[in-house]
Amino acid sequence: MDSANTTAEPEKLTKKALTADHPTWCPGCGDFAVLASFYKTLEKLQIPQEKIVTIAGIGCSSRFPYFVNSHGLHFIHGRALPLASGVSLSRPDLHVFAFGGDGDGFSIGGNHLDHAARKNVNLTYVIMDNFVYGLTKKQTSPTSPLGFKTKTDPTGAIDQPVNPMKKLVYGGATFVARTHATQVKHMMAMFERAIKHEGFSVVEVLSECVIFFPGAFDQANPRKGGEFVTIEEKKWDGTPEDEDRHDVSDNSAAFALANEEWPGRFGVYYETDRPTKNKLEQRWIDDMQKKVGDASTADLLKQRFAAMK
Amino acid sequence: MSATATSAPKSNADDSSSGDITDAVIRFAGNSQDGIQTIGGFLAKLAGRSAREVMTYMTIPSTISGGASIFQVHLASGEVLSSGDEADFLFAFYQHSYDAHISSLRDGGILIYDSDHVTPDLEDKRVRQVGVPITSTTIEALGGSAKDRGKNILVLGLVTALFQLDRSKLVSLIEGQFKRKGEDVLRNAMVAFDAGYAYQIGDLHGESFNLKAGAAGDTDHVTTDGNTALALGLIAGGVRFGAAYPITPWTTIMEHLRSELPKHGGLFVQTEDELAAITMALGMSYAGHLSMTGSSGPGISLKMEALGYGTMAELPLIIVNVQRGGPSTGLPTSVEQSDLMQAIYGSHGDAPRVVLAPINVEDCFHVAVEACKLAKQCSAPVFILTDQALATRIEAFPEPDLEQIVIEPTLATETRDENFVPYPLDGETRHAPPGTKMAGGKYPVVTGLEHDAWGHPNGSPEMHQKMMDRRRNKIIKLADDYPVSEVFGDDSGDVLLVGWGSTWGPIREATIRAREKGLAYSSMSIRHLNPLPNDLGDIFAQFKHVIVIEMNDRGMYGYGQLATLLRAKYADPRIISITKTDGLTFKIKEILQRVETLIS
Ligand SMILES: Cc1ncc(C[n+]2csc(CCOP(=O)(O)OP(=O)(O)O)c2C)c(N)n1
Ligand code: SF4
Ligand SMILES: [Mg+2]
């Protein structure tokens, strides 16, 4: 399906080459750091520039594609994932990235998230979770904590918030991680592992909206007096300490981590190796094509018509 | 499609005495689990193999486990334009079948009923009644254990003898279908068929109705339904990717594409809902493929927001709406043409797109091919509006010239130079799918925000107006290359009947009947609904009355949806409207009577 774009030597991918329009986010918005970490991770991994695709829905965070100099698409609210899935499934040669906010991903797009996860479509999804609707100026989001006062809940949010880690693990995502926009090194490590993971990989980044929910994530920010606690993963070294470490392939352990009290821990909650929809569909396509030989479209259609005579 | 009205189909046999006939409408009424669809399917295939024309009509039972169902077959040696207003022959399997359908049998028609289940009104002299113990004969022929399964094949044998159909062709069709199911099944089918073929029908003993074969020539017509023809047309036109969610009567198109596309290296995905379906299809288009989605009624409504994105981002996409009765869940298994305005104007904002409508099963194939061509040409969404009647009915037609038609798609990811402009104000859309190297170093972001020629968001008043003009004008321009519109009958006269979609057959047949009576009627069916053909005004000008016939509501102002559009375009008071929404196709009589009332 891929057409050959052969050039003698691939140019080196730099942060400069990846930089596009200057972001229109408010000064201090957590999303700046997410963008910078994304550039740096791509630079490190040296993915061919023309193979990078950035896709987003609608929201402050969803403006992401404009700020990355790669093929990109800014879509409608909540539907970045099925669009990204269409790209991934029909073009396995590409590196597909989806970006968005908590409203885009867990509310209007919540059902798509479950199904992209279940199908294990090969792509990487970064959710910039600020616990509020930024673009539309402070309405309750599906991750707004109980009691948080917004324009749609003037006396404080009353609906039980979504637990993103649980939703993702339960939904069937095969790589699920959580990070914090002020912790650039950790964020880059999570991005790198997500990109290298084959399958549906998701990173939730707690990314502060300095206008409508300032200080939301201070409790996990050492510079604001909080504590950034990372997950210690099993090393499988047989030591007694290893007993207490987290087994990323154990989904009950992931749920247990997700149940921890706010602000919880950061790192990889869950990772498993399950065949992607891309692979399974390709296997079917290959089998069918083998079965019909190298018949042309006209020949195949003639056979279909013959069967209807 | 010939444009002359000289080959009027012979009306039904004048009386029911035996002899040669050229036209027969046969209705089988029973329960769906009796396999009456199978009888109809065999007869339709046989027609295709013997140069007879055929059109079928069936009802889908309202429960999955079975229930009352009919299958009507209209066979003729000449042109078949509708599934028939009234039946010439009625096969009634049960009392409820008899009760519900005896009124559909014409005066002097023949009722053949299962005397094991039906007690007809013996006083009824309007029709001829013939009892055949269908159930017990089947059980007797097949032996006790088979119960009455096989009744349908026994009736097929009866029909074969009665109409002197080609026995050997039918036998080979039966073999083709049942061999796959095993030797036992095939043997039983043949026993049932032979028992029916040999059965001496009491009162009709010795009578037969020799349904003549059509003119010699093409005897290997394809027989299939509209949904299958449409799916094959999409493949021929170059569609390799798509996504959808099941809903009746759209579903069989997606089932077909799901299993066929992989053979062509493509893929069809079943998504979680219709919003995801159109979105995924747009993703495939963005990725550089000509892709498609489709649905019926409620599902099309769900796709509307993303459809507008397709127009804004100028992505080629085919969207099929197999219309059914609405609004809401409405009449899921009935026919209606009430989604025209939605197809043209649906979605928020001004989001112009192309809308096409096939007129019969064969045309489903060709319209699908044309939709592919137009979608690529204007890089915008193209709607195909079919309906429940076209979707399920079977017709015979000559095999299309595939070598001429088939398009092998390619992925255009060659490097774009420094001067790449995706949306030039005065030129064609140039989409660079991901994977394309940009020699200028600047990569494009496709957006639903208003944007400039380079795709950069730009909501200035001038830019919005210019881009709106651009998106509209490229669609308008398509009409310059349309084929000349065909008028059936004379180019001028008293009445021009205008339709779109599946009303083509009944409208054409009504025209023929009127012309036989010496009336100056002509007719046409518009296949390009947005933009409309440029030559309609000149055609309309030659008639005293232009009567638009459609299966939708008269609305607030007394005009159907197409009539409203035509009146808006031509501001011509001679354009008037006949509409209905009873979930049934138009009958010939109904059209003629209503036209007469309107113009007298
Ligand atoms: C169908 C639709 N409904 C509503 C909106 C309005 N809208 C745009 S963004 C948004 C919520 C944004 O919140 P989030 O996804 O959390 O992104 P953030 O701005 O916080 O990054 C809403 C309600 C829309 N654009 N489209
Ligand atoms: S409103 Fe909040 S989320 Fe949006 S750009 Fe400003 S700080 Fe960021
Ligand atoms: Mg948010």
Side-chain angles (χ1 to χ4, degrees):
Chain A
M1 262 178 275
D2 185 18
S3 85
N5 272 319
T6 41
T7 38
E9 207 160 296
E11 302 120 53
K12 219 168 155 345
L13 186 67
T14 59
K15 181 171 180 280
K16 187 162 168 273
L18 284 167
T19 306
D21 304 355
H22 184 74
T24 46
W25 293 312
C26 308
C29 176
D31 297 349
F32 280 102
V34 181
L35 180 66
S37 304
F38 183 65
Y39 289 155
K40 281 193 220 156
T41 310
L42 291 186
E43 195 177 38
K44 179 172 179 204
L45 297 178
Q46 285 299 309
I47 297 170
Q49 190 172 7
E50 73 278 8
K51 301 282 189 188
I52 301 166
V53 193
T54 55
I55 292 160
I58 299 289
C60 290
S61 43
S62 291
R63 298 189 71 93
F64 213 91
Y66 295 118
F67 314 139
V68 182
N69 186 26
S70 72
H71 284 287
L73 189 144
H74 186 214
F75 196 47
I76 58 177
H77 192 30
R79 325 254 171 246
L81 284 180
L83 193 122
S85 301
V87 177
S88 170
L89 290 169
S90 69
R91 289 289 302 280
D93 59 308
L94 301 172
H95 290 264
V96 181
F97 297 93
F99 299 92
D102 37 325
D104 197 74
F106 300 128
S107 187
I108 189 166
N111 192 38
H112 302 315
L113 178 52
D114 288 345
H115 289 271
R118 174 175 81 86
K119 292 181 173 181
N120 198 23
V121 180
N122 190 27
L123 62 89
T124 298
Y125 180 32
V126 176
I127 305 172
M128 284 155 267
D129 193 352
N130 54 14
F131 288 10
V132 69
Y133 282 8
L135 189 73
T136 47
K137 302 187 167 68
K138 204 177 188 180
Q139 295 80 26
T140 307
S141 112
T143 48
S144 294
L146 291 175
F148 177 57
K149 286 187 181 147
T150 68
K151 290 178 191 157
T152 46
D153 274 314
T155 55
I158 51 170
D159 300 326
Q160 166 83 29
V162 165
N163 181 316
M165 293 296 101
K166 279 200 208 168
K167 178 173 167 75
L168 288 162
V169 173
Y170 173 77
T174 51
F175 178 93
V176 180
R178 182 169 183 257
T179 186
H180 194 297
T182 60
Q183 307 300 311
V184 170
K185 256 203 193 131
H186 186 265
M187 186 161 40
M188 283 180 61
M190 293 302 109
F191 286 174
E192 181 172 343
R193 283 177 68 178
I195 294 170
K196 287 180 171 164
H197 173 82
E198 192 179 340
F200 187 68
S201 53
V202 189
V203 181
E204 183 207 14
V205 187
L206 299 185
S207 177
E208 182 177 330
C209 172
V210 292
I211 306 294
F212 299 119
F213 202 163
F217 310 126
D218 284 358
Q219 275 174 282
N221 182 359
R223 254 179 285 157
K224 295 282 173 76
E227 208 185 344
F228 184 70
V229 185
T230 53
I231 295 165
E232 272 201 66
E233 289 176 39
K234 272 202 197 305
K235 296 183 174 139
W236 305 106
D237 56 7
T239 59
E241 305 91 84
D242 211 37
E243 296 271 303
D244 295 333
R245 296 194 185 115
H246 177 55
D247 174 1
V248 293
S249 68
D250 178 349
N251 63 8
S252 333
F255 276 111
L257 271 180
N259 275 331
E260 285 185 5
E261 216 172 298
W262 175 258
R265 278 186 273 179
F266 296 85
V268 177
Y269 275 62
Y270 186 63
E271 179 166 21
T272 189
D273 189 17
R274 201 174 79 225
T276 61
K277 182 169 180 68
N278 306 57
K279 272 250 166 77
L280 297 170
E281 295 287 6
Q282 193 57 48
R283 195 178 299 164
W284 191 42
I285 294 169
D286 293 344
D287 285 353
M288 293 292 269
Q289 289 203 286
K290 206 180 288 167
K291 217 180 253 174
V292 298
D294 277 329
S296 68
T297 300
D299 286 341
L300 286 171
L301 287 176
K302 276 183 200 161
Q303 288 167 21
R304 287 283 309 145
F305 278 114
M308 300 188 303
K309 285 179 182 171
Chain B
M1 265 176 278
S2 95
T4 56
T6 48
S7 60
K10 259 289 198 21
S11 43
N12 303 332
D14 295 321
D15 61 65
S16 302
S17 63
S18 62
D20 289 353
I21 57 171
T22 56
D23 189 300
V25 176
I26 311 165
R27 177 175 289 207
F28 302 92
N31 289 338
S32 62
Q33 65 266 35
D34 296 326
I36 55 174
Q37 268 77 3
T38 310
I39 315 176
F42 277 124
L43 291 177
K45 271 201 171 180
L46 177 73
R49 286 191 179 186
S50 49
R52 291 188 186 92
E53 291 240 343
V54 63
M55 189 181 293
T56 68
Y57 164 79
M58 61 189 266
T59 59
I60 307 167
S62 43
T63 58
I64 342 159
S65 59
S69 161
I70 70 154
F71 199 99
Q72 183 160 309
V73 189
H74 185 177
L75 292 162
S77 7
E79 197 178 20
V80 171
L81 294 166
S82 71
S83 51
D85 280 9
E86 294 180 307
D88 303 308
F89 298 86
L90 171 67
F91 286 79
F93 284 65
Y94 302 102
Q95 190 66 36
H96 68 76
S97 329
Y98 167 80
D99 293 340
H101 296 284
I102 188 65
S103 61
S104 69
L105 190 59
R106 72 171 169 87
D107 292 350
I110 295 179
L111 164 74
I112 295 166
Y113 60 93
D114 185 345
S115 53
D116 297 323
H117 290 298
V118 182
T119 317
D121 173 9
L122 294 170
E123 300 303 305
D124 182 2
K125 297 290 176 237
R126 194 180 69 84
V127 299
R128 290 178 66 190
Q129 300 173 339
V130 186
V132 176
I134 295 172
T135 305
S136 50
T137 311
T138 306
I139 293 172
E140 208 174 289
L142 296 183
S145 68
K147 300 237 181 60
D148 63 350
R149 306 204 87 228
K151 275 200 298 203
N152 56 342
I153 304 299
L154 182 120
V155 169
L156 185 64
L158 274 177
V159 170
T160 307
L162 196 59
F163 295 100
Q164 298 189 3
L165 301 174
D166 189 327
R167 183 173 185 278
S168 64
K169 276 186 185 164
L170 262 170
V171 168
S172 80
L173 282 171
I174 294 172
E175 283 171 354
Q177 175 138 344
F178 287 101
K179 223 178 225 155
R180 277 175 276 145
K181 301 185 180 171
E183 282 301 320
D184 280 3
V185 179
L186 175 61
R187 199 179 316 118
N188 273 355
M190 288 315 305
V191 169
F193 181 79
D194 288 336
Y197 192 76
Y199 189 86
Q200 308 290 321
I201 305 182
D203 285 353
L204 291 179
H205 184 55
E207 281 185 57
S208 70
F209 305 88
N210 182 15
L211 184 61
K212 294 179 70 105
D218 207 349
T219 55
D220 64 343
H221 278 22
V222 175
T223 41
T224 194
D225 59 79
N227 271 4
T228 306
L230 200 141
L232 294 174
L234 291 173
I235 296 173
V239 168
R240 292 294 175 273
F241 291 89
Y245 188 79
I247 184 169
T248 304
W250 141 264
T251 311
T252 55
I253 296 180
M254 76 178 275
E255 289 168 351
H256 200 98
L257 292 173
R258 172 79 183 149
S259 41
E260 285 302 308
L261 284 180
K263 296 180 191 164
H264 303 264
L267 174 65
F268 201 92
V269 180
Q270 176 175 338
T271 54
E272 57 273 26
D273 59 31
E274 286 86 352
L275 303 96
I278 184 166
T279 295
M280 195 174 284
L282 282 169
M284 293 159 165
S285 286
Y286 167 67
H289 308 291
L290 177 60
S291 57
M292 73 91 49
T293 186
S295 190
S296 295
I300 297 291
S301 298
L302 285 178
K303 292 178 196 286
M304 282 294 153
E305 185 193 6
L307 185 64
Y309 184 92
T311 293
M312 195 61 156
E314 306 195 30
L315 293 169
L317 176 78
I318 292 167
I319 161 163
V320 174
N321 178 0
V322 185
Q323 297 168 95
R324 61 187 220 179
S328 191
T329 307
L331 294 96
T333 58
S334 297
V335 66
E336 220 171 79
Q337 297 179 306
S338 41
D339 299 344
L340 176 60
M341 289 295 190
Q342 182 198 39
I344 296 175
Y345 293 116
S347 196
H348 56 288
D350 289 298
R353 61 188 81 105
V354 180
V355 181
L356 307 177
I359 57 174
N360 55 35
V361 171
E362 178 181 14
D363 202 34
C364 285
F365 179 87
H366 295 290
V367 161
V369 172
E370 187 177 1
C372 296
K373 190 187 113 202
L374 295 180
K376 280 184 290 188
Q377 198 174 323
C378 68
S379 204
V382 174
F383 239 113
I384 302 179
L385 280 180
T386 82
D387 63 40
Q388 187 272 342
L390 277 181
T392 55
R393 78 181 186 214
I394 299 171
E395 289 177 33
F397 57 91
E399 182 174 317
D401 185 354
L402 293 165
E403 298 291 349
Q404 287 298 312
I405 292 171
V406 165
I407 305 282
E408 295 281 2
T410 50
L411 194 57
T413 50
E414 66 281 355
T415 300
R416 306 297 201 270
D417 66 21
E418 298 79 8
N419 305 319
F420 176 76
V421 180
Y423 313 108
L425 282 173
D426 51 1
E428 275 176 29
T429 314
R430 299 181 203 126
H431 178 54
T436 304
K437 280 198 170 194
M438 307 305 291
K442 184 83 192 89
Y443 282 80
V445 176
V446 170
T447 176
L449 287 169
E450 189 58 282
H451 45 266
D452 61 19
W454 290 269
H456 296 137
N458 180 338
S460 74
E462 312 84 72
M463 192 52 70
H464 185 45
Q465 187 60 61
K466 278 184 186 156
M467 280 293 167
M468 191 65 81
D469 293 344
R470 171 190 154 70
R471 289 187 292 265
R472 175 205 330 109
N473 292 342
K474 69 173 184 178
I475 307 276
I476 291 180
K477 232 173 64 189
L478 297 174
D480 296 342
D481 298 329
Y482 284 172
V484 175
S485 299
E486 280 182 15
V487 176
F488 178 68
D490 295 318
D491 290 341
S492 62
D494 290 333
V495 171
L496 178 69
L497 303 179
V498 178
W500 62 280
S502 70
T503 55
W504 173 80
I507 290 176
R508 194 174 170 100
E509 199 169 327
T511 311
I512 292 166
R513 296 274 169 82
R515 294 175 69 83
E516 282 170 352
K517 284 195 270 174
L519 300 171
Y521 280 30
S522 297
S523 59
M524 68 183 302
S525 283
I526 302 177
R527 298 163 70 244
H528 302 84
L529 294 162
N530 202 55
L532 288 163
N534 296 325
D535 55 4
L536 296 180
D538 293 340
I539 294 173
F540 293 174
Q542 305 304 315
F543 292 89
K544 270 195 209 132
H545 305 279
V546 177
I547 302 178
V548 187
I549 298 173
E550 43 192 331
M551 296 183 280
N552 53 44
D553 189 54
R554 59 188 293 280
M556 300 297 127
Y557 311 113
Y559 298 95
Q561 298 186 14
L562 178 61
T564 299
L565 290 168
L566 292 173
R567 285 175 66 89
K569 177 163 185 199
Y570 296 104
D572 184 343
R574 289 169 311 145
I575 300 173
I576 48 180
S577 186
I578 290 179
T579 63
K580 73 160 180 174
T581 53
D582 58 4
L584 303 170
T585 52
F586 271 105
K587 291 197 153 76
I588 317 304
K589 261 194 224 156
E590 188 180 3
I591 293 176
L592 291 172
Q593 277 164 6
R594 290 187 63 179
V595 170
E596 213 158 292
T597 324
L598 254 188
I599 63 174
S600 60

